[in-house]
């Protein structure tokens, strides 16, 4: 394979960890078994821009089992697991262009290396691949059958492209499947964000005040898991309905300008920009920890922090201590990038199983629909969502009830009343 990875010597470790993740990815394994027999993706070139992790490795193995030819690059400069990247390359699964800690130039070089393989299907996490195609490599757009998008931020960007009339090919918003965002965003982000903060800092969360900025599915997950660790949890929101839900869930809600004075740990999960900024840094307590779990590193204003600081030092592997003129120290984790993937290992395999089952089945659907789709954002077909939920329950050994004939008839009639 053509690869730019950190060290092929890490392949053996990566292979073992990919197998470990696979033990928890039983839905994907079933799809892989079927793909091996049916080859629904025979000869299809897929260009993927995803977090290169052990879970992603199992998705790529599934696509290749289905007959696809795959090239992958990182969807974040800090999220690559170098051992998984090495194993993917050495085991001839995919062309791999991903090195943890790569600079911006290498990051975009790697995106272009994937595009050099002239993909017919794109698989994106954050929409950087699609944006590069549309901005810089328009001559390739006619090769595209379709694409998929993994994350909320990417779907928001895609919808903006559709509204602006510039989206050139159909893309399935995998994020919007119920079996994706209700589980991965909530339980995955919840656990892996706490995991990242704890691995980076080894700070005790019990008895501390943790501020969650944003109460979407990701924010809900972080807030509930932080409460489970014994933290006092404050939620900040701009949406009244979400703030109300947080309050009724038992969390405190208040504006960031108030929360910033009392928080010990801050987590941004809004998908928007400049959430924690100069005026908040001015009011924070000495020793406050700042972490981001939103897709891009724009939620914590790093430039303002750097301008305000008299000194910056890397005090632990994923902790930069910014010293302010009055002596207060603010600790930024993972350079403000996704703390769960940079300082920990991202979402656990059991939850990525469902997200990536949706990815694999969405790609199969795109190939089946070839030539019939318009250049717009599609939801994951409801049958796929239901199939993934059913397969996951079966993999967990859980059976559920079926409606009786009487119950089904009752639900479809309007005549019954008081
Ligand atoms: N996004 C969040 N967690 C992930 C993981 N473990 N692998 C790939 N993408 C992810």
């Amino acid at each position: 394979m053509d690869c730019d990875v950190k060290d092929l010597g890490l392949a053996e470790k990566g292979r073992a960890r990919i197998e470990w993740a696979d033990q928890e990815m039983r839905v994907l394994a079933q799809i892989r078994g079927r793909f091996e027999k049916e080859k629904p993706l025979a000869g299809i070139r897929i260009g993927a821009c995803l977090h290169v992790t052990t879970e992603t490795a199992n998705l790529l193995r599934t696509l290749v089992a289905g007959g696809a030819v795959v090239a992958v690059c990182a969807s974040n400069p800090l999220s690559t697991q170098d051992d998984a990247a090495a194993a993917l390359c050495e085991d001839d699964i995919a062309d791999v262009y991903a090195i943890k800690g790569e600079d911006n130039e290498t990051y975009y070089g790697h995106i272009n290396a994937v595009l050099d393989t002239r993909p017919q299907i794109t698989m994106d996490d954050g929409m950087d691949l699609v944006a590069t195609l549309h901005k810089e490599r328009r001559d390739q757009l006619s090769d595209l059958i379709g694409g998929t998008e993994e994350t909320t931020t990417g779907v928001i960007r895609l919808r903006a492209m559709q509204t602006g009339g510039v989206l050139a090919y159909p893309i399935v918003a995998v994020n919007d499947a119920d079996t994706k965002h209700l589980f991965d965003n909530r339980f995955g982000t919840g656990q892996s964000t706490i995991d990242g903060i704890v691995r980076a800092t080894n700070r005790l969360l019990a008895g501390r005040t943790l501020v969650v900025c944003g109460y979407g599915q990701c924010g809900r997950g972080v807030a509930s898991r932080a409460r489970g660790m014994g933290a006092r949890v404050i939620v900040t929101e701009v949406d009244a309905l979400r703030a109300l839900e947080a309050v009724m869930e038992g969390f405190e809600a208040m504006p960031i300008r108030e929360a910033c004075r009392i928080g010990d740990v801050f987590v941004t999960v809004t998908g928007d920009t400049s959430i924690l900024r100069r005026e908040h840094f001015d009011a924070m307590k000495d020793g406050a920890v700042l972490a981001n779990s939103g897709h891009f590193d724009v939620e914590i204003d790093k430039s303002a922090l750097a301008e305000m600081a008299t000194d910056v030092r890397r005090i632990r592997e994923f902790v930069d201590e910014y010293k302010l003129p009055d002596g207060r120290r603010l600790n930024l984790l993972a350079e403000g990038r996704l703390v769960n993937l940079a300082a920990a290992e991202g979402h656990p395999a059991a939850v990525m199983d469902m997200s990536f089952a949706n990815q694999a089945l969405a790609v199969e659907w795109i190939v089946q629909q070839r030539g019939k789709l318009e250049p717009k954002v599609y939801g994951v077909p409801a049958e796929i969502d239901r199939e993934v939920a059913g397969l996951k329950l079966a993999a967990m050994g859980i059976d559920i009830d079926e409606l009786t004939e009487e119950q089904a008839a009752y639900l479809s009639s309007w005549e019954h009343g008081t």
Side-chain angles (χ1 to χ4, degrees):
M1 310 307 291
D2 185 31
C3 296
D4 187 18
V5 299
K6 182 159 184 214
D7 178 3
L8 285 176
L10 297 170
E12 196 178 329
K13 180 178 171 210
R15 210 171 285 128
R17 289 201 325 109
I18 291 167
E19 187 189 322
W20 175 254
D22 188 47
Q23 292 174 21
E24 292 274 279
M25 303 182 85
R26 298 293 81 204
V27 176
L28 199 58
Q30 276 204 42
I31 295 169
R32 189 158 60 241
R34 178 170 69 74
F35 275 16
E36 243 150 36
K37 287 191 215 110
E38 297 176 7
K39 300 283 176 208
L41 313 179
I44 299 284
R45 294 187 305 277
I46 298 179
C49 178
L50 298 170
H51 301 298
V52 180
T53 65
T54 54
E55 292 73 29
T56 298
N58 285 315
L59 168 62
L60 303 189
R61 287 177 60 218
T62 306
L63 302 173
V64 170
V69 179
V70 181
V72 64
C73 62
S75 59
N76 184 293
L78 277 188
S79 64
T80 298
Q81 297 173 2
D82 291 314
D83 58 346
L88 278 171
C89 180
E90 213 167 69
D91 292 351
D92 289 341
I93 303 294
D95 291 331
V96 186
Y97 309 100
I99 299 173
K100 183 166 181 136
E102 62 196 19
D103 59 21
N104 241 31
E105 197 185 327
T106 311
Y107 177 78
Y108 278 101
H110 284 165
I111 286 185
N112 277 298
V114 165
L115 294 178
D116 287 343
T117 65
R118 297 202 76 100
Q120 296 164 289
I121 291 188
T122 56
M123 196 172 247
D124 225 338
D125 185 332
M127 221 208 72
D128 283 345
L129 191 64
V130 172
T132 307
L133 250 178
H134 280 75
K135 282 191 219 156
E136 293 163 24
R137 304 188 59 150
R138 299 194 61 82
D139 56 308
Q140 283 180 237
L141 286 170
S142 57
D143 291 351
L144 271 300
I145 305 169
T148 64
E149 171 53 55
E150 169 76 5
T151 202
T152 317
T153 297
V155 172
I156 291 170
R157 296 176 83 193
L158 283 169
R159 292 230 157 84
M161 287 184 83
Q162 181 178 321
T163 306
V166 291
L167 186 62
Y169 62 97
I171 303 206
V172 177
V174 167
N175 180 72
D176 293 0
D178 285 345
T179 47
K180 199 280 183 183
H181 70 272
L182 296 179
F183 297 87
D184 165 318
N185 299 25
R186 189 163 165 194
F187 303 107
T189 307
Q191 178 165 322
S192 62
T193 301
I194 301 295
D195 187 12
I197 293 169
V198 170
R199 287 200 212 189
T201 64
N202 198 25
R203 288 250 167 112
L204 183 72
L205 295 180
R208 297 285 165 81
T209 300
L210 187 140
V211 179
V212 182
C213 303
Y215 199 68
Q217 292 300 336
C218 295
R220 275 158 219 247
V222 175
S224 80
R225 269 41 191 163
R227 172 159 64 191
M229 298 289 281
R232 167 194 177 199
V233 178
I234 295 174
V235 168
T236 74
E237 247 304 337
V238 290
D239 181 293
L241 194 79
R242 286 184 172 178
L244 198 56
E245 278 188 276
V247 169
M248 299 244 173
E249 200 51 62
F251 302 114
E252 291 171 66
M254 62 181 75
I256 303 184
R257 67 171 182 278
E258 288 172 32
C260 64
R261 297 175 191 286
I262 46 184
D264 298 302
V265 180
F266 294 82
V267 186
T268 54
V269 260
T270 67
D272 208 340
T273 190
S274 304
I275 306 303
L276 294 177
R277 26 180 216 272
R278 187 179 288 266
E279 72 233 52
H280 307 125
F281 304 142
D282 265 335
M284 283 178 183
K285 296 197 292 194
D286 178 36
V289 168
L290 317 181
N292 168 53
S293 223
H295 186 81
F296 287 117
D297 60 340
V298 296
E299 305 208 17
I300 301 172
D301 188 347
K302 290 192 276 188
S303 327
L305 203 49
E307 278 166 27
M308 291 167 76
T310 52
D311 190 31
V312 184
R313 64 175 171 148
R314 180 144 296 179
I315 189 164
R316 282 169 64 96
E317 190 180 359
F318 292 107
V319 187
D320 291 333
E321 178 195 77
Y322 287 76
K323 194 142 193 202
L324 303 184
D326 59 8
R328 281 178 306 124
R329 292 155 299 180
L330 300 184
N331 298 297
L332 178 66
L333 306 192
E335 301 168 23
R337 296 198 187 272
L338 284 161
V339 73
N340 60 338
L341 280 141
E345 295 170 63
H347 303 351
V351 86
M352 293 313 295
D353 188 23
M354 290 194 277
S355 309
F356 286 168
N358 276 295
Q359 284 281 6
L361 296 177
V363 169
E364 181 184 34
W365 182 78
I366 291 166
V367 173
Q368 285 164 352
Q369 303 298 317
R370 191 175 187 159
K372 292 188 217 146
L373 301 175
E374 288 165 44
K376 62 178 203 184
V377 181
Y378 285 84
V380 172
E383 318 81 74
I384 291 184
D385 220 346
R386 258 195 308 275
E387 181 184 345
V388 172
L391 288 173
K392 188 68 179 174
L393 275 177
M396 294 166 88
I398 295 169
D399 208 0
I400 59 170
D401 290 320
E402 278 173 35
L403 291 176
T404 62
E405 269 180 36
E406 182 194 6
Q407 289 167 338
Y410 182 87
L411 288 181
S412 58
S413 75
W414 58 270
E415 282 120 335
H416 303 282
T418 310

